[in-house]
Amino acid sequence: MKLAFSWLTVLPLRVAGIEHGVDKRAAGRAIAWTPVVGVVIGAFVVGVLHLLAISNISALVAGFLVVGVVALSTRGMHLDGLADVADGLGCYGPPERALKVMKDGGAGPFGVVSLIVVLGAQAAALPHAHWGVVLLAFATSRAAFGICCLRGVPAARPEGLGALVAGTQHPLMVIGTWVVLAAAAIPLGWRAVVAVVVAFALVWVLVKHTGKRFGGITGDVLGAAAEIALLAVLVIA
């Protein structure tokens, strides 16, 4: 769990043995804990939204400020992944060409448009979301990593985060996590349950499509999956 928090947040956690590298087993266990990280981030977001609400700041401005705070608290990793995946899917050529575009570091037109649409929609939705929906959205977004890392899903590169976590998650663990999320959504109404189902479907399609387009997953695919799942729950629920 500490490894998951050290990966996905800016919390200054010291993880024993990390200086010697992280093996695949430890990485897989960290991925399994990521929904818990999402719940904690969601609780933090609820607190920030409450402070902004009592400060009498307009809802849209508050939404954009919260999106910025989340990016800072997570090092913007998922946003970088979203932009890179959009550019990779938008380019022509074989998987090698797409992976090269993704590794370039800059954001192309597809990446820029994706960031504008996704961040804008999240900013507009967050101030109007029930606190339970916010918690659910961030937990779901981090649970998306499990789908990306299912057994049988290969890595697109022999190195990097994708290679470290690819194929580490047992299907029963992933399915169980999403069933718990769907059950947790029931008190929030049928739209919340539908939102979890749609988020699952969108991430599944993303993993399948990037598998065909790139030859497997990369760390960027995990980031894109998280942002797409987050958006789906916030907008639908």
Side-chain angles (χ1 to χ4, degrees), residues 132-154:
V133 170
V134 175
L135 295 181
L136 178 69
F138 279 92
T140 301
S141 71
R142 274 52 184 178
F145 298 150
I147 301 174
C148 299
C149 302
L150 274 168
R151 291 181 183 176
V153 177

Side-chain angles (χ1 to χ4, degrees), residues 132-204:
V133 170
V134 175
L135 295 181
L136 178 69
F138 279 92
T140 301
S141 71
R142 274 52 184 178
F145 298 150
I147 301 174
C148 299
C149 302
L150 274 168
R151 291 181 183 176
V153 177
R157 299 189 184 99
E159 75 285 338
L161 178 62
L164 183 62
V165 299
T168 59
Q169 301 305 297
H170 194 286
L172 291 180
M173 174 66 75
V174 175
I175 293 172
T177 299
W178 282 82
V179 168
V180 170
L181 289 171
I186 293 175
L188 298 172
W190 66 268
R191 292 176 67 93
V193 178
V194 171
V196 172
V197 174
V198 171
F200 181 93
L202 289 174
V203 174
W204 178 261

Side-chain angles (χ1 to χ4, degrees), residues 5 31 48 59-60 69 76 83 86 91 106 115 124 128-129 134 153 159 170 178 218 230:
F5 273 98
I31 291 295
V48 175
L60 187 57
V69 168
C91 76
L115 289 174
H128 305 290
V134 175
V153 177
E159 75 285 338
H170 194 286
W178 282 82
T218 66
L230 177 63

Side-chain angles (χ1 to χ4, degrees), residues 1-196:
M1 184 169 63
K2 287 177 66 178
L3 179 58
F5 273 98
S6 70
W7 272 354
L8 301 179
T9 71
V10 294
L11 292 175
L13 297 174
R14 301 175 68 90
V15 182
I18 196 171
E19 65 274 8
H20 303 298
V22 178
D23 61 23
K24 204 170 183 69
R25 183 183 179 188
R29 294 174 68 180
I31 291 295
W33 278 104
T34 53
V36 176
V37 180
V39 172
V40 174
I41 295 174
F44 172 65
V45 169
V46 169
V48 175
L49 283 169
H50 179 70
L51 290 176
L52 291 174
I54 62 178
S55 300
N56 202 29
I57 296 176
S58 72
L60 187 57
V61 172
F64 273 105
L65 289 175
V66 170
V67 166
V69 168
V70 172
L72 288 174
S73 64
T74 59
R75 303 187 187 93
M77 292 186 300
H78 307 138
L79 299 178
D80 179 67
L82 174 65
D84 286 344
V85 168
D87 285 330
L89 292 176
C91 76
Y92 294 100
E96 294 77 15
R97 166 65 176 162
L99 291 172
K100 184 177 180 181
V101 169
M102 293 167 63
K103 203 171 183 178
D104 180 58
F110 289 101
V112 171
V113 171
S114 297
L115 289 174
I116 291 173
V117 172
V118 171
L119 292 179
Q122 289 178 4
L126 272 168
H128 305 290
H130 183 275
W131 66 267
V133 170
V134 175
L135 295 181
L136 178 69
F138 279 92
T140 301
S141 71
R142 274 52 184 178
F145 298 150
I147 301 174
C148 299
C149 302
L150 274 168
R151 291 181 183 176
V153 177
R157 299 189 184 99
E159 75 285 338
L161 178 62
L164 183 62
V165 299
T168 59
Q169 301 305 297
H170 194 286
L172 291 180
M173 174 66 75
V174 175
I175 293 172
T177 299
W178 282 82
V179 168
V180 170
L181 289 171
I186 293 175
L188 298 172
W190 66 268
R191 292 176 67 93
V193 178
V194 171
V196 172

